[in-house]
Amino acid sequence: MEDLLDKLKLLDYEEEVLAKHNMKALSRHYFASSAYMPSNPGEQFFMFTIIASWLINAAGRPFEQPQEYDDPNATVSNILSQLRAFGGLVDFPPSKLKAGSGEHVCYVLDRLAEEALKERVFSWRRPNYPTEEMEEESVMEDDAELTLSKVEEEMTVGIPIKISPVYILSFLTLTPSLSQEARLSSKPDNILESNMDAAEWNLEVERVLPQLKVTIRTDHKDWRIHVDQMHQHKDGIKSSLKEAKGYLDKLQEEIGKTLEKVGSREKYINNQLEHLIQDYRSAQSKLSEAKECYQQGSGGVTERTRVLAEITEELEKVKQEMEEKGSSMSDGAPVVKIKQSLTKLKQEIVQMDIRIGVVEHTLLQAKLKEKSNMTRDMHATNIPEPAIGAY
């Protein structure tokens, strides 16, 4: 979401979108969904559609700006189709965008913002950091500055001077390294005495005095500085508390008086409206009794309605059965069918008799033929033998 906001600022969305629609600037987590942040899905979805349509137009494709009362499914479908046309990967359902926030909303807007930046020929470059010039160490004129005159005064009074080992080390590093023998050999035999005039010495001291200033740089990690800051803050809190305590006491008195007035007024109103409250309570009790009676009566009506429906259903069944029996008793169609069946049965009996007669005649002829054949065979077997031999 933060990357998307940077890209929108590069595209000057404040002037082209926010100022045009009279909207507030987006926060760093506007489209990020979380249970710990307040959300307004309707407002976020409308803002998403407005920015998406503007980015699509900025990327070089014509896209009509959606209105507040348009179909959200159609709007989301059009935006995803444009994203696919740019080559974006859409592997999530469109319903994820209707919430107006979440990972997929940020992805769609970020992808469209990249296309708009490409259309405007924008390229990311490495940042050029400005070269920081080293500031000259300012010589602070404070108590930490150690001058030669102060050193002399402390030496005369007898106050020991605390010199940091760092300065001793720097002094030793600046002095040329001499061997032990050279140092012993360089020791004078007698006590050295100065032949320089005191006035010339003072002039030389005044000349080199600015170069002999030792600046002690304060360390912010030193506990003494924190203690001083604590004391300063403590004094500031005390002074501020003295001023604010009077205002707070006055405010407390005013609030107490106001609460007393409100309490007395409340008691007066309760006393004035006591009879109305009693009437209201009695009316409430009567209303509850009436509701209870109504519920009981409505329960009995429901039960009787159910019984009536069952009786009506049974009555309809009885009527239907009576109609069927009446129609069957007054209708002559069954008698006609019986007569037709009898006529047909008689015709079939006549045909059957004819067939039986034909079959009996055929059987009689077959018996007669068989009998004649048997008789002929019997006569053929009784022929005399001489006749057979002459043959």
Side-chain angles (χ1 to χ4, degrees):
M1 178 59 204
E2 293 180 356
D3 295 341
L4 170 63
L5 191 60
D6 292 337
K7 294 174 184 177
L8 292 178
K9 289 180 180 178
L10 290 174
L11 294 169
D12 197 13
Y13 87 110
E14 293 96 341
E15 298 294 333
E16 299 185 12
V17 179
L18 300 182
K20 183 178 179 182
H21 296 278
N22 195 15
M23 295 179 175
K24 296 181 181 179
L26 302 181
S27 62
R28 294 189 305 141
H29 309 291
Y30 184 79
F31 289 115
S33 63
S34 174
Y36 302 101
M37 293 190 301
S39 61
N40 188 353
E43 178 185 349
Q44 289 175 327
F45 179 73
F46 181 65
M47 179 67 77
F48 163 69
T49 56
I50 291 296
I51 295 177
S53 62
W54 171 68
L55 290 174
I56 293 171
N57 289 318
R61 289 182 176 271
F63 190 83
E64 185 178 358
Q65 179 179 339
Q67 301 299 323
E68 188 174 0
Y69 299 102
D70 290 348
D71 185 12
N73 295 321
T75 303
V76 169
S77 178
N78 294 332
I79 292 173
L80 291 179
S81 63
Q82 293 292 335
L83 181 62
R84 292 189 186 94
F86 284 123
L89 179 61
V90 180
D91 55 352
F92 53 87
S95 60
K96 294 288 186 180
L97 301 180
K98 291 196 292 184
S101 61
E103 177 185 0
H104 304 94
V105 172
C106 295
Y107 165 72
V108 171
L109 292 179
D110 185 72
R111 190 71 177 78
L112 294 176
E114 289 182 359
E115 296 296 331
L117 290 173
K118 289 180 183 178
E119 181 68 19
R120 296 189 181 183
V121 195
F122 178 83
S123 60
W124 297 95
R125 298 177 182 176
R126 291 182 176 274
N128 295 325
Y129 299 102
T131 57
E132 297 182 357
E133 297 180 356
M134 298 297 294
E135 296 181 358
E136 296 181 357
E137 295 182 358
S138 60
V139 179
M140 300 175 62
E141 299 290 338
D142 55 2
D143 295 338
E145 191 175 275
L146 204 60
T147 60
L148 183 60
S149 60
K150 189 173 182 181
V151 172
E152 290 178 354
E153 291 175 359
E154 291 179 353
M155 288 178 66
T156 56
V157 176
I159 300 174
I161 302 173
K162 295 181 180 180
I163 302 176
S164 175
V166 177
Y167 300 111
I168 297 174
L169 181 61
S170 61
F171 176 77
L172 293 176
T173 54
L174 292 175
T175 57
S177 59
L178 299 175
S179 63
Q180 186 70 18
E181 296 177 357
R183 291 178 181 176
L184 293 174
S185 61
S186 62
K187 288 183 179 180
D189 297 333
N190 299 323
I191 298 174
L192 295 176
E193 294 182 359
S194 177
N195 299 323
M196 186 174 290
D197 188 8
E200 293 181 358
W201 175 263
N202 290 329
L203 290 174
E204 183 67 18
V205 168
E206 291 179 358
R207 186 181 67 81
V208 299
L209 183 61
Q211 300 178 5
L212 296 178
K213 292 181 180 180
V214 179
T215 304
I216 302 174
R217 300 182 65 182
T218 58
D219 188 7
H220 295 287
K221 296 182 179 179
D222 191 5
W223 63 271
R224 297 180 182 85
I225 297 174
H226 294 294
V227 171
D228 295 337
Q229 290 178 354
M230 288 169 61
H231 289 299
Q232 292 177 3
H233 293 320
K234 183 179 179 180
D235 296 337
I237 290 171
K238 285 183 179 179
S239 60
S240 301
L241 182 61
K242 290 179 181 178
E243 296 177 0
K245 190 174 182 181
Y247 297 108
L248 292 174
D249 293 337
K250 186 177 180 181
L251 182 62
Q252 183 181 3
E253 293 177 0
E254 293 178 355
I255 292 173
K257 292 179 181 179
T258 306
L259 289 175
E260 290 178 359
K261 290 180 181 179
V262 171
S264 61
R265 190 65 180 173
E266 184 179 358
K267 291 179 181 178
Y268 174 75
I269 292 172
N270 289 333
N271 293 328
Q272 292 293 326
L273 301 178
E274 184 66 28
H275 64 283
L276 296 176
I277 294 173
Q278 294 294 334
D279 295 340
Y280 176 73
R281 289 175 180 172
S282 62
Q284 283 287 104
S285 61
K286 291 179 181 179
L287 178 61
S288 60
E289 291 176 359
K291 285 184 178 179
E292 186 176 358
C293 295
Y294 171 74
Q295 289 178 358
Q296 293 177 359
S298 62
V301 170
T302 304
E303 182 66 23
R304 287 177 177 80
T305 304
R306 185 181 62 80
V307 174
L308 178 61
E310 293 178 356
I311 294 172
T312 304
E313 186 177 357
E314 292 179 358
L315 181 61
E316 291 293 333
K317 290 181 179 180
V318 171
K319 286 183 178 179
Q320 186 176 0
E321 291 178 359
M322 289 178 65
E323 287 178 359
E324 290 178 356
K325 289 182 179 180
S327 61
S328 62
M329 290 174 66
S330 61
D331 192 9
V335 179
V336 175
K337 290 181 179 179
I338 292 171
K339 289 182 179 180
Q340 291 177 358
S341 299
L342 289 173
T343 305
K344 188 176 180 181
L345 185 58
K346 288 179 181 180
Q347 292 177 358
E348 290 179 355
I349 289 172
V350 172
Q351 291 179 0
M352 204 64 168
D353 291 338
I354 293 171
R355 290 181 180 179
I356 290 171
V358 172
V359 172
E360 289 179 351
H361 181 68
T362 304
L363 289 173
L364 182 59
Q365 285 184 352
K367 287 181 179 180
L368 292 173
K369 187 175 182 180
E370 185 178 358
K371 189 176 181 180
S372 62
N373 290 334
M374 290 176 62
T375 306
R376 188 178 58 221
D377 292 337
M378 289 175 62
H379 286 297
T381 53
N382 293 327
I383 297 175
E385 293 179 1
I388 293 173
Y391 181 77

